[in-house]
Amino acid sequence: MAFMEDILVPIFICVVLPVLIILIVMNARKHEVSRKTEVALKAIEAGAPIDPNFFKTAKKKESIKERLLGQLTGACITFLMGVAFMVANFMGWNPSGLHLFSVAGGVMIAIGIGLFISFCVSRKMLAKEIEAEENDLANKQE
């Protein structure tokens, strides 16, 4: 019985789960398009003009500040995962005699520090652009 669990769980996680996620996303998109089609057909039947941009997907423009905060979040997550791997290695939770946790932890810590340095440099370089975006947003709200 344990043999079946050893085979079925990875197959479920690696095959069935991604297929289900793709099916759910595609079904949601299909439902959205069919809903818009129904609205457009009713508008045509009523003789109302249709906006040409009606079927375009609305893409939210991400501001520079939001991109930088995403980069900072990635840096923090990567760094903390590296620290967790190092702690796991030093606490003896490494099942094999190899020190793969310490190697992976060191690499992740280095990547996290690199992303944080990139965030700091980008924040200084893009300070004027961030301020201009904030001023534009403030002017739009007034």
Side-chain angles (χ1 to χ4, degrees), residues 67-103:
R67 281 187 285 156
L68 285 176
L69 287 175
Q71 188 176 5
L72 178 63
T73 303
C76 291
I77 289 171
T78 307
F79 181 80
L80 291 176
M81 285 177 62
V83 169
F85 277 141
M86 294 296 263
V87 168
N89 186 47
F90 291 132
M91 296 294 287
W93 294 335
N94 194 357
S96 63
L98 302 173
H99 293 283
L100 293 177
F101 279 3
S102 61
V103 172

mmCIF file of all heavy atoms in Angstrom, residues 67-103:
data_model
loop_
_atom_site.group_PDB
_atom_site.id
_atom_site.type_symbol
_atom_site.label_atom_id
_atom_site.label_comp_id
_atom_site.label_asym_id
_atom_site.label_seq_id
_atom_site.Cartn_x
_atom_site.Cartn_y
_atom_site.Cartn_z
ATOM 1 N N ARG A 67 6.447 47.663 -8.763
ATOM 2 C CA ARG A 67 7.476 46.732 -9.243
ATOM 3 C C ARG A 67 8.632 46.638 -8.255
ATOM 4 O O ARG A 67 9.156 45.546 -8.010
ATOM 5 C CB ARG A 67 7.991 47.162 -10.613
ATOM 6 C CG ARG A 67 7.048 46.779 -11.728
ATOM 7 C CD ARG A 67 7.658 47.062 -13.064
ATOM 8 N NE ARG A 67 7.607 48.524 -13.261
ATOM 9 C CZ ARG A 67 8.396 49.211 -14.054
ATOM 10 N NH1 ARG A 67 9.313 48.618 -14.751
ATOM 11 N NH2 ARG A 67 8.270 50.506 -14.169
ATOM 12 N N LEU A 68 9.031 47.776 -7.699
ATOM 13 C CA LEU A 68 10.126 47.760 -6.724
ATOM 14 C C LEU A 68 9.719 47.018 -5.453
ATOM 15 O O LEU A 68 10.528 46.279 -4.877
ATOM 16 C CB LEU A 68 10.563 49.189 -6.385
ATOM 17 C CG LEU A 68 11.393 49.890 -7.447
ATOM 18 C CD1 LEU A 68 11.666 51.331 -7.037
ATOM 19 C CD2 LEU A 68 12.696 49.162 -7.688
ATOM 20 N N LEU A 69 8.478 47.192 -5.022
ATOM 21 C CA LEU A 69 8.025 46.460 -3.834
ATOM 22 C C LEU A 69 7.955 44.960 -4.109
ATOM 23 O O LEU A 69 8.253 44.150 -3.221
ATOM 24 C CB LEU A 69 6.676 46.993 -3.367
ATOM 25 C CG LEU A 69 6.716 48.360 -2.689
ATOM 26 C CD1 LEU A 69 5.303 48.833 -2.375
ATOM 27 C CD2 LEU A 69 7.548 48.321 -1.430
ATOM 28 N N GLY A 70 7.599 44.574 -5.325
ATOM 29 C CA GLY A 70 7.628 43.164 -5.699
ATOM 30 C C GLY A 70 9.042 42.603 -5.670
ATOM 31 O O GLY A 70 9.272 41.468 -5.237
ATOM 32 N N GLN A 71 9.988 43.412 -6.125
ATOM 33 C CA GLN A 71 11.387 42.994 -6.094
ATOM 34 C C GLN A 71 11.870 42.866 -4.650
ATOM 35 O O GLN A 71 12.591 41.911 -4.320
ATOM 36 C CB GLN A 71 12.237 44.003 -6.851
ATOM 37 C CG GLN A 71 13.662 43.583 -7.053
ATOM 38 C CD GLN A 71 14.437 44.588 -7.898
ATOM 39 O OE1 GLN A 71 13.928 45.650 -8.249
ATOM 40 N NE2 GLN A 71 15.654 44.246 -8.222
ATOM 41 N N LEU A 72 11.470 43.786 -3.792
ATOM 42 C CA LEU A 72 11.853 43.702 -2.383
ATOM 43 C C LEU A 72 11.234 42.474 -1.724
ATOM 44 O O LEU A 72 11.889 41.778 -0.937
ATOM 45 C CB LEU A 72 11.418 44.970 -1.642
ATOM 46 C CG LEU A 72 11.714 45.021 -0.145
ATOM 47 C CD1 LEU A 72 13.210 44.970 0.105
ATOM 48 C CD2 LEU A 72 11.116 46.262 0.473
ATOM 49 N N THR A 73 9.994 42.169 -2.070
ATOM 50 C CA THR A 73 9.339 40.980 -1.524
ATOM 51 C C THR A 73 10.076 39.717 -1.950
ATOM 52 O O THR A 73 10.316 38.820 -1.136
ATOM 53 C CB THR A 73 7.880 40.924 -1.990
ATOM 54 O OG1 THR A 73 7.212 42.118 -1.588
ATOM 55 C CG2 THR A 73 7.165 39.713 -1.421
ATOM 56 N N GLY A 74 10.451 39.645 -3.220
ATOM 57 C CA GLY A 74 11.211 38.498 -3.705
ATOM 58 C C GLY A 74 12.556 38.363 -3.002
ATOM 59 O O GLY A 74 12.999 37.257 -2.676
ATOM 60 N N ALA A 75 13.212 39.498 -2.757
ATOM 61 C CA ALA A 75 14.499 39.471 -2.052
ATOM 62 C C ALA A 75 14.329 38.943 -0.636
ATOM 63 O O ALA A 75 15.118 38.102 -0.176
ATOM 64 C CB ALA A 75 15.116 40.868 -2.031
ATOM 65 N N CYS A 76 13.302 39.410 0.052
ATOM 66 C CA CYS A 76 13.079 38.962 1.435
ATOM 67 C C CYS A 76 12.735 37.474 1.493
ATOM 68 O O CYS A 76 13.264 36.745 2.343
ATOM 69 C CB CYS A 76 11.956 39.778 2.084
ATOM 70 S SG CYS A 76 12.394 41.485 2.393
ATOM 71 N N ILE A 77 11.882 37.025 0.590
ATOM 72 C CA ILE A 77 11.483 35.610 0.587
ATOM 73 C C ILE A 77 12.687 34.725 0.290
ATOM 74 O O ILE A 77 12.915 33.715 0.963
ATOM 75 C CB ILE A 77 10.346 35.375 -0.415
ATOM 76 C CG1 ILE A 77 9.053 36.006 0.104
ATOM 77 C CG2 ILE A 77 10.149 33.889 -0.679
ATOM 78 C CD1 ILE A 77 7.922 36.014 -0.902
ATOM 79 N N THR A 78 13.474 35.094 -0.722
ATOM 80 C CA THR A 78 14.637 34.287 -1.086
ATOM 81 C C THR A 78 15.653 34.256 0.051
ATOM 82 O O THR A 78 16.192 33.193 0.388
ATOM 83 C CB THR A 78 15.288 34.848 -2.361
ATOM 84 O OG1 THR A 78 14.297 34.974 -3.369
ATOM 85 C CG2 THR A 78 16.395 33.943 -2.850
ATOM 86 N N PHE A 79 15.914 35.392 0.655
ATOM 87 C CA PHE A 79 16.866 35.453 1.760
ATOM 88 C C PHE A 79 16.386 34.606 2.939
ATOM 89 O O PHE A 79 17.166 33.831 3.517
ATOM 90 C CB PHE A 79 17.075 36.908 2.191
ATOM 91 C CG PHE A 79 18.059 37.058 3.312
ATOM 92 C CD1 PHE A 79 19.412 37.025 3.056
ATOM 93 C CD2 PHE A 79 17.635 37.233 4.619
ATOM 94 C CE1 PHE A 79 20.330 37.157 4.085
ATOM 95 C CE2 PHE A 79 18.531 37.362 5.646
ATOM 96 C CZ PHE A 79 19.892 37.327 5.378
ATOM 97 N N LEU A 80 15.120 34.742 3.303
ATOM 98 C CA LEU A 80 14.604 33.991 4.454
ATOM 99 C C LEU A 80 14.558 32.484 4.180
ATOM 100 O O LEU A 80 14.777 31.683 5.100
ATOM 101 C CB LEU A 80 13.237 34.515 4.854
ATOM 102 C CG LEU A 80 13.243 35.914 5.471
ATOM 103 C CD1 LEU A 80 11.825 36.390 5.738
ATOM 104 C CD2 LEU A 80 14.066 35.948 6.743
ATOM 105 N N MET A 81 14.289 32.092 2.928
ATOM 106 C CA MET A 81 14.343 30.664 2.608
ATOM 107 C C MET A 81 15.770 30.144 2.736
ATOM 108 O O MET A 81 15.996 29.025 3.219
ATOM 109 C CB MET A 81 13.803 30.411 1.201
ATOM 110 C CG MET A 81 12.299 30.492 1.106
ATOM 111 S SD MET A 81 11.676 30.276 -0.563
ATOM 112 C CE MET A 81 12.219 28.644 -0.941
ATOM 113 N N GLY A 82 16.741 30.938 2.319
ATOM 114 C CA GLY A 82 18.145 30.555 2.479
ATOM 115 C C GLY A 82 18.517 30.407 3.941
ATOM 116 O O GLY A 82 19.208 29.453 4.327
ATOM 117 N N VAL A 83 18.052 31.334 4.767
ATOM 118 C CA VAL A 83 18.318 31.241 6.212
ATOM 119 C C VAL A 83 17.660 29.990 6.788
ATOM 120 O O VAL A 83 18.257 29.279 7.606
ATOM 121 C CB VAL A 83 17.822 32.518 6.934
ATOM 122 C CG1 VAL A 83 17.838 32.346 8.432
ATOM 123 C CG2 VAL A 83 18.666 33.716 6.521
ATOM 124 N N ALA A 84 16.432 29.681 6.326
ATOM 125 C CA ALA A 84 15.748 28.487 6.818
ATOM 126 C C ALA A 84 16.512 27.224 6.432
ATOM 127 O O ALA A 84 16.635 26.294 7.247
ATOM 128 C CB ALA A 84 14.320 28.441 6.267
ATOM 129 N N PHE A 85 17.042 27.174 5.214
ATOM 130 C CA PHE A 85 17.842 26.010 4.810
ATOM 131 C C PHE A 85 19.105 25.888 5.662
ATOM 132 O O PHE A 85 19.498 24.780 6.046
ATOM 133 C CB PHE A 85 18.217 26.090 3.335
ATOM 134 C CG PHE A 85 17.152 25.600 2.404
ATOM 135 C CD1 PHE A 85 16.921 26.255 1.205
ATOM 136 C CD2 PHE A 85 16.401 24.488 2.698
ATOM 137 C CE1 PHE A 85 15.946 25.810 0.329
ATOM 138 C CE2 PHE A 85 15.421 24.021 1.834
ATOM 139 C CZ PHE A 85 15.193 24.692 0.650
ATOM 140 N N MET A 86 19.746 27.008 5.936
ATOM 141 C CA MET A 86 20.955 26.961 6.763
ATOM 142 C C MET A 86 20.636 26.495 8.176
ATOM 143 O O MET A 86 21.365 25.673 8.747
ATOM 144 C CB MET A 86 21.626 28.341 6.786
ATOM 145 C CG MET A 86 22.153 28.769 5.447
ATOM 146 S SD MET A 86 23.461 27.734 4.846
ATOM 147 C CE MET A 86 24.861 28.684 5.330
ATOM 148 N N VAL A 87 19.546 26.990 8.736
ATOM 149 C CA VAL A 87 19.138 26.570 10.081
ATOM 150 C C VAL A 87 18.803 25.080 10.084
ATOM 151 O O VAL A 87 19.190 24.345 11.002
ATOM 152 C CB VAL A 87 17.949 27.422 10.583
ATOM 153 C CG1 VAL A 87 17.319 26.823 11.818
ATOM 154 C CG2 VAL A 87 18.406 28.848 10.846
ATOM 155 N N ALA A 88 18.114 24.625 9.045
ATOM 156 C CA ALA A 88 17.773 23.201 8.954
ATOM 157 C C ALA A 88 19.030 22.349 8.888
ATOM 158 O O ALA A 88 19.096 21.270 9.484
ATOM 159 C CB ALA A 88 16.891 22.951 7.738
ATOM 160 N N ASN A 89 20.035 22.829 8.176
ATOM 161 C CA ASN A 89 21.281 22.076 8.079
ATOM 162 C C ASN A 89 21.996 22.044 9.428
ATOM 163 O O ASN A 89 22.487 20.990 9.849
ATOM 164 C CB ASN A 89 22.183 22.686 7.005
ATOM 165 C CG ASN A 89 23.416 21.847 6.780
ATOM 166 O OD1 ASN A 89 23.313 20.636 6.643
ATOM 167 N ND2 ASN A 89 24.563 22.483 6.742
ATOM 168 N N PHE A 90 22.062 23.173 10.109
ATOM 169 C CA PHE A 90 22.778 23.222 11.383
ATOM 170 C C PHE A 90 22.033 22.510 12.508
ATOM 171 O O PHE A 90 22.643 22.062 13.473
ATOM 172 C CB PHE A 90 23.080 24.670 11.773
ATOM 173 C CG PHE A 90 24.097 25.323 10.881
ATOM 174 C CD1 PHE A 90 23.872 26.573 10.351
ATOM 175 C CD2 PHE A 90 25.282 24.669 10.556
ATOM 176 C CE1 PHE A 90 24.812 27.174 9.527
ATOM 177 C CE2 PHE A 90 26.215 25.259 9.724
ATOM 178 C CZ PHE A 90 25.980 26.517 9.205
ATOM 179 N N MET A 91 20.709 22.393 12.376
ATOM 180 C CA MET A 91 19.932 21.679 13.396
ATOM 181 C C MET A 91 19.964 20.171 13.160
ATOM 182 O O MET A 91 19.426 19.417 13.969
ATOM 183 C CB MET A 91 18.476 22.166 13.389
ATOM 184 C CG MET A 91 18.307 23.617 13.777
ATOM 185 S SD MET A 91 18.739 23.942 15.477
ATOM 186 C CE MET A 91 17.365 23.211 16.302
ATOM 187 N N GLY A 92 20.554 19.733 12.071
ATOM 188 C CA GLY A 92 20.673 18.315 11.803
ATOM 189 C C GLY A 92 19.470 17.721 11.115
ATOM 190 O O GLY A 92 19.261 16.516 11.155
ATOM 191 N N TRP A 93 18.650 18.535 10.449
ATOM 192 C CA TRP A 93 17.469 18.031 9.767
ATOM 193 C C TRP A 93 17.790 17.554 8.355
ATOM 194 O O TRP A 93 16.902 17.229 7.590
ATOM 195 C CB TRP A 93 16.386 19.086 9.706
ATOM 196 C CG TRP A 93 15.846 19.450 11.044
ATOM 197 C CD1 TRP A 93 15.850 18.673 12.167
ATOM 198 C CD2 TRP A 93 15.246 20.673 11.416
ATOM 199 N NE1 TRP A 93 15.284 19.340 13.209
ATOM 200 C CE2 TRP A 93 14.898 20.579 12.774
ATOM 201 C CE3 TRP A 93 14.968 21.848 10.752
ATOM 202 C CZ2 TRP A 93 14.294 21.606 13.467
ATOM 203 C CZ3 TRP A 93 14.355 22.871 11.440
ATOM 204 C CH2 TRP A 93 14.023 22.736 12.786
ATOM 205 N N ASN A 94 19.036 17.546 8.002
ATOM 206 C CA ASN A 94 19.454 17.102 6.684
ATOM 207 C C ASN A 94 19.472 15.579 6.672
ATOM 208 O O ASN A 94 20.279 14.966 7.353
ATOM 209 C CB ASN A 94 20.832 17.675 6.373
ATOM 210 C CG ASN A 94 21.211 17.555 4.932
ATOM 211 O OD1 ASN A 94 20.463 16.990 4.140
ATOM 212 N ND2 ASN A 94 22.367 18.082 4.581
ATOM 213 N N PRO A 95 18.581 14.943 5.913
ATOM 214 C CA PRO A 95 18.489 13.486 5.980
ATOM 215 C C PRO A 95 19.703 12.770 5.416
ATOM 216 O O PRO A 95 20.041 11.694 5.862
ATOM 217 C CB PRO A 95 17.235 13.166 5.163
ATOM 218 C CG PRO A 95 17.042 14.337 4.278
ATOM 219 C CD PRO A 95 17.612 15.516 5.005
ATOM 220 N N SER A 96 20.373 13.349 4.457
ATOM 221 C CA SER A 96 21.537 12.688 3.874
ATOM 222 C C SER A 96 22.800 13.266 4.488
ATOM 223 O O SER A 96 22.787 14.319 5.114
ATOM 224 C CB SER A 96 21.545 12.871 2.361
ATOM 225 O OG SER A 96 21.674 14.244 2.054
ATOM 226 N N GLY A 97 23.897 12.571 4.295
ATOM 227 C CA GLY A 97 25.157 13.062 4.825
ATOM 228 C C GLY A 97 25.686 14.248 4.044
ATOM 229 O O GLY A 97 26.599 14.936 4.481
ATOM 230 N N LEU A 98 25.103 14.496 2.879
ATOM 231 C CA LEU A 98 25.532 15.621 2.061
ATOM 232 C C LEU A 98 25.045 16.925 2.672
ATOM 233 O O LEU A 98 24.028 16.981 3.349
ATOM 234 C CB LEU A 98 24.974 15.481 0.645
ATOM 235 C CG LEU A 98 25.355 14.204 -0.094
ATOM 236 C CD1 LEU A 98 24.588 14.126 -1.396
ATOM 237 C CD2 LEU A 98 26.842 14.143 -0.349
ATOM 238 N N HIS A 99 25.756 17.948 2.419
ATOM 239 C CA HIS A 99 25.364 19.254 2.954
ATOM 240 C C HIS A 99 24.673 20.081 1.872
ATOM 241 O O HIS A 99 25.047 21.217 1.600
ATOM 242 C CB HIS A 99 26.580 19.982 3.521
ATOM 243 C CG HIS A 99 27.145 19.310 4.718
ATOM 244 N ND1 HIS A 99 26.560 19.405 5.946
ATOM 245 C CD2 HIS A 99 28.222 18.511 4.870
ATOM 246 C CE1 HIS A 99 27.255 18.708 6.825
ATOM 247 N NE2 HIS A 99 28.282 18.150 6.193
ATOM 248 N N LEU A 100 23.652 19.475 1.277
ATOM 249 C CA LEU A 100 22.924 20.167 0.213
ATOM 250 C C LEU A 100 22.132 21.348 0.757
ATOM 251 O O LEU A 100 21.973 22.358 0.072
ATOM 252 C CB LEU A 100 21.997 19.195 -0.511
ATOM 253 C CG LEU A 100 22.682 18.105 -1.318
ATOM 254 C CD1 LEU A 100 21.652 17.164 -1.927
ATOM 255 C CD2 LEU A 100 23.547 18.709 -2.404
ATOM 256 N N PHE A 101 21.639 21.231 1.987
ATOM 257 C CA PHE A 101 20.886 22.332 2.568
ATOM 258 C C PHE A 101 21.772 23.557 2.741
ATOM 259 O O PHE A 101 21.344 24.682 2.503
ATOM 260 C CB PHE A 101 20.293 21.935 3.911
ATOM 261 C CG PHE A 101 19.020 21.141 3.818
ATOM 262 C CD1 PHE A 101 18.482 20.766 2.611
ATOM 263 C CD2 PHE A 101 18.346 20.773 4.964
ATOM 264 C CE1 PHE A 101 17.311 20.035 2.521
ATOM 265 C CE2 PHE A 101 17.173 20.048 4.898
ATOM 266 C CZ PHE A 101 16.661 19.679 3.673
ATOM 267 N N SER A 102 23.013 23.345 3.171
ATOM 268 C CA SER A 102 23.884 24.500 3.371
ATOM 269 C C SER A 102 24.271 25.129 2.027
ATOM 270 O O SER A 102 24.363 26.351 1.920
ATOM 271 C CB SER A 102 25.128 24.110 4.161
ATOM 272 O OG SER A 102 25.875 23.139 3.462
ATOM 273 N N VAL A 103 24.480 24.312 1.005
ATOM 274 C CA VAL A 103 24.804 24.854 -0.312
ATOM 275 C C VAL A 103 23.605 25.620 -0.864
ATOM 276 O O VAL A 103 23.732 26.761 -1.330
ATOM 277 C CB VAL A 103 25.226 23.725 -1.281
ATOM 278 C CG1 VAL A 103 25.362 24.250 -2.697
ATOM 279 C CG2 VAL A 103 26.519 23.090 -0.821
#
